[in-house]
């Protein structure tokens, strides 16, 4: 159902460097440059992720209650992505671990304060 997500940034070069390195852990590369932002993904027909300066030219803010969840296929990838995010300066919002019902997740905030979750679901 999700086509892509977009998060705002007040420092596009810093955000782009953060996500270039973060998504490199998953083998995902930047696929679009649209002037005021960038997008990453595995193909134009797959869900994507973008960061950009807000269209209204007002400061970007992290939404209270807003979170982007990144679906991964293993606990090891969840752990690796979380560790890389923290190494790049992200704030820990919940260490990798089981959350019940086969749901394994880790939480962090990027350099602009946006909350992200990396998760996988293990078959019962």
């Amino acid at each position: 159902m999700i086509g892509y997500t977009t998060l705002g940034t007040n420092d596009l070069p810093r955000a782009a460097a953060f996500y270039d390195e973060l998504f490199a852990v998953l083998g995902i590369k930047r696929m679009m440059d649209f002037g005021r932002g960038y997008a990453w993904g595995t193909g134009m027909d797959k869900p994507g992720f973008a960061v950009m300066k807000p269209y209204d030219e007002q400061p970007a803010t992290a939404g209270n209650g807003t979170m982007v969840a990144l679906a991964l296929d293993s606990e090891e990838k969840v752990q690796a992505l979380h560790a890389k995010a923290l190494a790049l300066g992200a704030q820990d919002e919940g260490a990798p671990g089981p959350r019940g019902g086969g749901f394994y997740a880790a939480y962090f905030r990027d350099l602009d304060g946006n909350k992200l979750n990396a998760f996988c679901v293990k078959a019962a």
Side-chain angles (χ1 to χ4, degrees):
M1 179 188 328
I2 302 289
Y4 62 90
T5 60
T6 302
L7 295 177
T9 183
N10 293 304
D11 187 336
L12 189 57
R14 181 180 75 157
F18 176 86
Y19 284 108
D20 281 342
E21 288 195 47
L22 183 68
F23 290 142
V25 171
L26 305 174
I28 296 171
K29 297 183 182 196
R30 194 184 307 176
M31 64 180 190
M32 288 182 70
D33 173 350
F34 40 92
R36 61 186 175 83
Y38 301 103
W40 293 260
T42 58
M44 294 301 288
D45 61 335
K46 306 280 190 286
F49 179 92
V51 292
M52 68 175 58
K53 296 199 111 333
Y55 185 76
D56 65 5
E57 299 182 0
Q58 298 300 309
T61 60
N64 184 25
T66 302
M67 181 176 70
V68 173
L70 305 170
L72 305 178
D73 61 10
S74 72
E75 292 179 5
E76 293 77 20
K77 286 183 182 175
V78 169
Q79 294 162 5
L81 195 70
H82 183 261
K84 184 64 169 185
L86 298 186
L88 293 169
Q91 177 185 354
D92 182 21
E93 287 281 314
R99 301 298 197 266
F103 190 76
Y104 185 90
Y107 301 84
F108 61 93
R109 289 191 182 270
D110 73 6
L111 305 179
D112 286 289
N114 296 300
K115 189 171 183 179
L116 290 95
N117 157 272
F119 77 96
C120 66
V121 179
K122 293 174 71 176

